[in-house]
């Protein structure tokens, strides 16, 4: 029986009391309240929020003139230049969906994405002309309209746009009256995840989630107004974890850069007094290991978000010494980038750095605007005990979870089975309720019936003074099924033998976990600094085949 | 013609990717992530977030056992004690609506609210036993179940509860499995506004808005985690402007107090290192005018939000000297309390304090999560020019606007006519886009066809060194229709004559605006420090009638 009550009547939504949540509202406000503040810095270019908003409206207007509208896809293949920032507003203003492409991908994969996402327009940069030209040939008849973003700092290359970005903007109206989406559940972005098998999956996110994650970034990071944010994180990666929208909310300045180089990064930090940056552990590792003279002369406080993989203790310690206060966040493309944070407890500040690093290396707790993160048994969907021992899978639930995978009902259904989003990452819950990854599911090594956490072995390897980066993968073994194999990249000038590394590991872990082989060399990494374990595995397998 | 597009299919809401926005999620997170942090301080009592959450769940559970559920009303008549904080969570956890009553009201008005709001349960405090007893007699048959919150610091008075709060909680389940609202548009609170004519109107707000205003408070105020918040603002006033929910988001500590007294306030600030507080100008005025020895010994930074009326320059200056950084916010019950902020521009910091105070006295711009504030011509609903001269009415639009007035379709319709919420306040838009109130509509004085802004006259009066508080109202006049009459409260020990005040005004404004009469005495104020002009008007009218 349902009762009626007085709050049911005459209290409906109307134009005065309800609007769709969208991060587009943030840029309108910054352009109005902080119009003269700098939004974008690139080389000698300085662009205010007033001008940035006008340019985004031009872009939207010009796209609409080309027939772009609700439900269309606009793809971009761009480095972290101002145009890459502008598309995060100009494209959704039309009702279209922004598809940022990973600039390190090959032509075949790009062609797949352009076709699968049905991109109507593509913005690109001369640097990627080779890949894009090939991809466009593969796309054939369904070739999108191509806009080339000109940049005098781009490496030499063919020009292949139907029009230049600036010329395209010049046809747009700076006073264009864009509209908020009619429904905040409407798609705002399409991001392909590079799975290890099969075709990439197209993660579709919505305006409501982009709005809430932008706010979550501010709350989590206690980010004040007018931050100076350095773009060490590619904007093609989960829309720069929603930071274009976060910066619009806080009227911050974006310091753009085409390419991550420690010397350049330190110059920009000094020149613009950068206050915030994001990146994978490798990004911070490169800063820590830069020559002392590059690092000199930075006197102000900097805050860094670290994600992509758990930060080794040495990274956290090194950042502290450099004056970068690190916060560790965790997520995936499917949850708008970070949707969990290793929330720092006040009392940790008094602990020795090693202990603090151990605590901060955990994946932690849900973001303020994510409803829940939980380690569940995938069979029963019941939480594992908070004993730090029982391994389960990490699940997310809440408003920071994607709409689903584009044109892939089966994968969507599997991802949401049981009313939670399945991350595929294996973890434990510790006694304080914090989640700690034991292994990405694919990386677990099963040796003689015992599970080996590759993360655990890697953490030990990182503690060796000669090791710059390390990755542990499963190597097929007749006797044990699998054994651990370690790939190690050494610090400049350091020398160490395989036997010494193995001895170091033996002193620190159970015998069965110790790598049976150590391979030295530069580790293959993604553009965001994640070590590509699948490449290492292939390397091992082909070596085994040759033997 | 509507086109179909790929984003329309297979990307629907489900349990994994959508939950209702509700500030109840914040307390669950604080109780989980910052369980051991202090949530409530009252006298010698210290209560963690873990315990506060458990008590709120007990309250919800016990209410449900008494039949309270979705769409029921639970009224509370309480000072700023811990229970008043707890009801902000425990009541909505049941799906019921929280109706906080203004504790300064008379029995007749309270009886009207209990009847109109159909309160099923009433929580009260011994201090208000006299009023409540009378009100309950008037309510008669529809008497709610009464819970008395016991407090040894309450003044002597009859006990009138059917049960004590602690005894009621003891029957509740601390692990009660409450649910988020099925729809974030569901009502969370009912707040009656004291209109000058007719019966009070019941403003109904929703979970979505309470969530977004709590977040807006954090963003606007750059509020860090774990603030120490002093309850100088009554929680019955727009749910303490949503700060119970804001503190749950930021896992802050609430320092409770029954009654505002400058000596006590300074003691609490020192003892708990209070970081944040809110109040009307009069609250800050009383702090500024407190004896120097009470103010001594405060070395840490404090931030204050000021609202209720535009802060006079002397208040802003005095606060600065005391070490309280003031932010001026503006709103009404209908927009969850503050929904506009006089956003401070970086360059203001370099201005002389008088100029800074003038800028900060403006109502400003929309809150980050309010869509718009605008000064429109009520006839055309077109914006007035940003000339600082043309007077229009202030309108709001966005997610921080009430659902409507309870059981009052006509008032609701009028409030939302034209797709905007009508505030009734008259204002101009200045050249920088900031809104500045010229007058609350009801306070405008029309003299010989010329409009006199009472705010303007008051500002001049405040500049006189003898004046502590001032209010200007219309006095009926045979010749001019109306003239301005000034009510003035003097600083302790100050003396001044009517003629001196009038001479001071003449030097500062057009002749027709100068008050024709000055009446000295203590000004009548609401519990939140707003000067009650209607009392002054009545005083004038009855004096005129006698003459």
């Amino acid at each position: 029986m349902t009762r009626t009550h007085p709050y049911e009547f005459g209290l409906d939504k109307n134009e005065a009391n309800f609007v769709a949540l969208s991060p587009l509202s943030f840029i309108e406000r910054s352009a109005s309240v902080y119009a003269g503040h700098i939004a974008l810095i690139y080389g000698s270019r300085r662009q205010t929020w007033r001008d940035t908003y006008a340019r985004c409206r031009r872009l939207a207007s010009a796209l609409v003139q080309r027939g772009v509208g609700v439900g269309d896809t606009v793809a971009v293949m761009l480095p972290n230049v101002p145009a890459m920032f502008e598309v995060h507003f100009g494209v959704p203003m039309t009702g279209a969906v922004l598809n940022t492409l990973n600039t390190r991908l090959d032509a075949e994969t790009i062609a797949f994405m352009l076709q699968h996402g049905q991109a109507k327009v593509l913005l690109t940069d001369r640097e990627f002309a080779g890949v894009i030209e090939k991809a466009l040939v593969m796309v054939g008849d369904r070739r999108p309209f191509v806009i080339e973003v000109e940049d005098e700092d781009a490496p030499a290359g063919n020009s292949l746009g139907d029009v230049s970005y600036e010329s395209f903007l010049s046809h747009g109206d700076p006073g264009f009256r864009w509209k908020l989406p009619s429904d905040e559940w409407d798609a705002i972005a399409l991001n392909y995840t590079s799975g290890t098998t099969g075709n990439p999956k197209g993660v579709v996110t919505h305006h409501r989630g982009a709005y809430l994650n932008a706010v979550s970034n501010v709350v989590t990071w206690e980010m004040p107004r007018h931050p100076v944010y350095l773009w060490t994180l590619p904007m093609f990666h989960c829309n720069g974890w929603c930071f274009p929208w976060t910066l619009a909310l806080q009227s911050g300045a974006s310091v753009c850069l085409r390419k991550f180089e420690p010397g350049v990064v330190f110059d920009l930090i000094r020149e613009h007094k950068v206050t915030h940056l994001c990146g994978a552990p490798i990004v911070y590792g490169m800063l820590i290991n830069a020559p002392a003279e590059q690092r000199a002369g930075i006197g102000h406080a900097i805050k860094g978000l670290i994600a992509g993989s758990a930060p080794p203790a040495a990274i956290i310690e090194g950042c502290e010494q450099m004056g970068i206060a690190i916060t560790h966040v965790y997520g995936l493309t499917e949850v708008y980038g970070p949707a969990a944070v290793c929330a720092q407890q006040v009392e940790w500040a008094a602990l020795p750095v090693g202990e603090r690093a151990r605590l901060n290396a955990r994946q932690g707790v849900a973001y303020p605007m994510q409803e829940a993160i939980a380690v569940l048994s995938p069979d029963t969907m019941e939480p594992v005990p908070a004993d730090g021992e029982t391994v389960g899978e990490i699940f997310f639930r809440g408003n920071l979870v994607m709409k689903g995978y584009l044109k892939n009902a089966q994968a969507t259904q599997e991802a949401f089975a049981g009313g939670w989003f399945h991350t595929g990452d294996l973890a434990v819950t510790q006694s304080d309720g914090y989640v700690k990854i034991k292994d990405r599911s694919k990386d677990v090594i099963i040796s003689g019936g015992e599970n080996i956490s590759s993360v655990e072995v890697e953490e030990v390897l990182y503690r060796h003074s000669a090791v710059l980066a390390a990755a542990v993968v499963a190597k097929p073994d007749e006797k044990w099924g699998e054994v651990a194999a370690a790939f190690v990249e050494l610090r400049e000038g350091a020398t160490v033998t395989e036997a010494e590394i193995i001895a170091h590991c033996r002193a620190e872990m159970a015998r069965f976990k110790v790598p049976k082989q150590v391979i030295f060399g530069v580790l293959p990494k993604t553009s965001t600094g994640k070590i590509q374990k699948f490449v290492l595995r292939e390397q091992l397998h082909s070596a085994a085949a040759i033997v």
Side-chain angles (χ1 to χ4, degrees), chain A:
Chain A
M1 191 192 81
T2 53
R3 305 182 292 184
T4 62
H5 57 77
Y7 297 98
E8 285 175 307
F9 307 106
L11 300 169
D12 299 329
K13 292 174 191 172
N14 59 55
E15 280 191 4
N17 66 14
F18 185 86
V19 297
L21 296 178
S22 164
L24 297 177
S25 293
F26 299 150
I27 191 172
E28 185 181 23
R29 186 172 186 272
S30 277
S32 156
V33 178
Y34 300 108
H37 274 254
I38 297 300
L40 286 164
I41 295 172
Y42 182 55
S44 61
R45 178 169 163 190
R46 302 287 177 278
Q47 191 174 299
T48 63
W49 278 104
R50 181 192 293 112
D51 291 345
T52 302
Y53 183 47
R55 286 170 60 84
C56 294
R57 292 167 88 178
R58 279 185 184 275
L59 173 57
S61 160
L63 286 170
V64 167
Q65 286 172 44
R66 276 216 66 88
V68 170
V70 175
D72 287 329
T73 301
V74 174
V76 299
M77 178 89 163
L78 291 173
N80 283 352
V81 292
M84 182 59 156
F85 187 88
E86 292 167 353
V87 294
H88 278 83
F89 301 93
V91 172
M93 279 175 188
T94 67
V97 179
L98 178 66
N99 173 217
T100 56
L101 301 167
N102 185 324
T103 60
R104 312 296 165 98
L105 295 175
D106 57 301
E108 202 166 354
T109 311
I110 295 290
F112 168 82
M113 292 172 179
L114 292 175
Q115 285 178 305
H116 184 266
Q118 299 171 227
K120 208 161 175 173
V121 174
L122 168 67
L123 287 90
T124 185
D125 177 282
R126 198 170 58 205
E127 181 176 348
F128 316 118
V131 171
I132 293 296
E133 261 180 334
K134 277 190 227 161
L136 290 176
V137 170
M138 296 178 204
V139 169
D141 281 357
R142 301 173 70 180
R143 184 186 190 280
F145 179 73
V146 178
I147 301 170
E148 183 177 288
V149 177
E150 291 176 323
D151 178 6
E152 57 187 31
D153 292 334
N158 291 337
S159 180
L160 80 174
D162 298 315
V163 64
S164 81
Y165 183 63
E166 293 302 326
S167 162
F168 190 68
L169 288 196
S170 71
H171 293 98
D173 173 5
F176 178 65
R177 295 199 167 211
W178 56 276
K179 283 192 200 128
L180 286 172
S182 59
D183 185 338
E184 63 199 38
W185 189 256
D186 280 1
I188 190 168
L190 169 67
N191 289 290
Y192 284 93
T193 54
S194 39
T196 44
T197 56
N199 282 321
K201 286 178 283 189
V203 173
V204 181
T205 53
H206 50 70
H207 284 255
R208 172 184 170 99
Y211 180 103
L212 292 172
N213 207 31
V215 174
S216 265
N217 282 335
V218 169
V219 173
T220 298
W221 218 358
E222 299 175 303
M223 190 190 241
R225 256 182 298 289
H226 311 314
V228 182
Y229 183 88
L230 181 64
W231 276 103
T232 42
L233 173 76
M235 276 187 247
F236 65 69
H237 187 52
C238 308
N239 302 107
W241 303 347
C242 299
F243 272 98
W245 301 315
T246 301
L247 289 158
L249 171 58
Q250 288 303 60
S251 313
S254 279
V255 181
C256 295
L257 75 169
R258 288 189 72 88
K259 197 168 171 243
F260 180 86
E261 282 168 37
V264 173
V265 163
F266 285 115
D267 284 347
L268 292 172
I269 288 176
R270 265 186 300 267
E271 184 182 353
H272 304 293
K273 291 227 181 310
V274 166
T275 56
H276 294 77
L277 54 85
C278 298
I282 191 75
V283 163
Y284 295 96
M286 286 169 76
L287 296 180
I288 292 167
N289 290 301
E293 64 271 20
Q294 283 187 3
R295 288 185 278 135
I298 297 172
H300 65 281
I302 303 171
K303 293 176 101 174
L305 285 189
I306 196 164
S309 61
I315 298 278
I316 292 178
E317 198 171 342
C319 283
E320 268 188 23
Q321 284 161 358
M322 248 191 328
I324 304 181
I326 290 290
T327 300
H328 175 210
V329 292
Y330 160 74
L332 305 89
T333 303
E334 285 88 341
V335 294
Y336 296 77
V341 54
C342 188
Q344 290 169 24
Q345 300 289 337
V346 176
E347 59 272 21
W348 294 0
L351 298 175
V353 64
E355 176 66 3
R356 209 157 63 230
R358 191 186 64 75
L359 292 168
N360 277 315
R362 301 177 300 165
Q363 282 60 41
V365 299
Y367 239 34
M369 272 126 223
Q370 180 72 308
E371 202 58 22
I373 183 174
V375 180
L376 310 178
S377 155
D379 302 325
T380 63
M381 294 302 275
E382 287 296 316
V384 300
D387 59 10
E389 296 277 336
T390 313
V391 174
E393 185 178 344
I394 301 180
F395 293 85
F396 278 108
R397 196 168 62 77
N399 293 308
L400 305 182
V401 173
M402 65 170 178
K403 289 172 71 123
Y405 298 113
L406 185 67
K407 301 191 284 191
N408 196 339
Q410 199 195 326
T412 301
Q413 218 164 9
E414 285 170 14
F416 292 146
W420 289 83
F421 168 67
H422 299 232
T423 68
D425 287 336
L426 301 186
V428 296
T429 301
Q430 297 196 327
S431 58
D432 59 358
Y434 280 49
V435 171
K436 181 174 168 59
I437 285 193
K438 293 312 268 190
D439 225 321
R440 302 267 161 165
S441 316
K442 311 173 200 85
D443 295 351
V444 75
I445 301 161
I446 306 180
S447 192
E450 297 284 349
N451 286 2
I452 302 174
S453 156
S454 63
V455 172
E456 193 186 329
V457 180
E458 283 157 16
E459 277 180 353
V460 170
L461 289 167
Y462 269 108
R463 270 185 241 141
H464 192 286
S465 62
V467 172
L468 175 67
V472 172
V473 298
K475 184 188 171 183
D477 184 271
E478 282 212 357
K479 183 167 180 190
W480 303 107
E482 289 178 345
V483 294
F487 287 81
V488 166
E489 183 173 339
L490 296 180
R491 284 177 199 283
E492 217 178 308
T495 53
V496 69
T497 64
E498 181 175 21
E500 283 166 344
I501 291 288
I502 289 175
H504 168 77
C505 289
R506 278 211 185 141
E508 303 262 351
M509 64 183 68
R511 191 69 174 258
F512 76 91
K513 297 184 182 172
V514 174
K516 301 295 176 284
Q517 187 180 4
V518 182
I519 300 127
F520 296 99
V522 175
L523 301 186
K525 298 173 197 85
T526 67
S527 54
T528 58
K530 264 193 193 176
I531 296 167
Q532 295 175 296
K533 287 203 175 175
F534 70 95
V535 176
L536 299 174
R537 268 186 221 105
E538 279 167 18
Q539 210 172 306
L540 266 186
H541 290 201
S542 31
I546 290 164
V547 170

